[in-house]
Amino acid sequence: MYYDQNGYDDPYDQSYEDYVPYADEYVYDEREQPQPFLVPPNAIQQELNRGRRGHFYQTRLASYNQMMLIQLLGINQSTGMVNMNVYLPQQRRWVRHQEHFTDMSGLTYLGPNPPRGVPYPRPQQPPRPPRPWWCSQFPWHPACWR
């Protein structure tokens, strides 16, 4: 870098010292990449303790590789699996899902209601008990009517 008589650098100076090859300008540096904010299990448990079970959040899920709208349902502290409903906007439907807390990043609280234009998830129906083994012989019995 060359300086003029007043000590200022010369804006028209094209010295080799300032030359940076094109390839060197775009060297990958992992420090510049934003690090995902992982959601610890105690933070999820804290949300549930606040009475926010069934409330809606936005988070990045590794299994979908994008930000998703979820309804938080619970967490298993021993396994680290988070239970949730995930909204699939292309299909306009909710699906039941489990994701390990290490595969979630950035948990943003949206409130007790889904965002405008998103339907409520249907409540999960408990599984029906199996039909009795004797239904083939007694199909008229009320236990065999489903």
Side-chain angles (χ1 to χ4, degrees), residues 47 50-57 69-72 94 108-115 118-121:
E47 292 295 307
R50 289 181 178 159
R52 292 182 173 175
R53 181 180 311 274
H55 288 211
F56 299 90
Y57 294 83
L69 173 64
I70 68 165
Q71 181 186 33
L72 184 62
W94 291 89
T108 304
Y109 180 68
L110 300 176
N113 299 316
V118 176
Y120 271 94

Side-chain angles (χ1 to χ4, degrees), residues 88-125:
L88 304 175
Q90 305 88 344
Q91 301 169 10
R92 293 194 44 79
R93 69 182 184 102
W94 291 89
V95 293
R96 188 78 156 196
H97 185 69
Q98 282 190 340
E99 187 103 10
H100 196 264
F101 75 90
T102 58
D103 295 330
M104 296 173 64
S105 58
L107 191 65
T108 304
Y109 180 68
L110 300 176
N113 299 316
R116 190 185 203 108
V118 176
Y120 271 94
R122 281 199 228 144
Q124 187 73 16
Q125 299 291 332

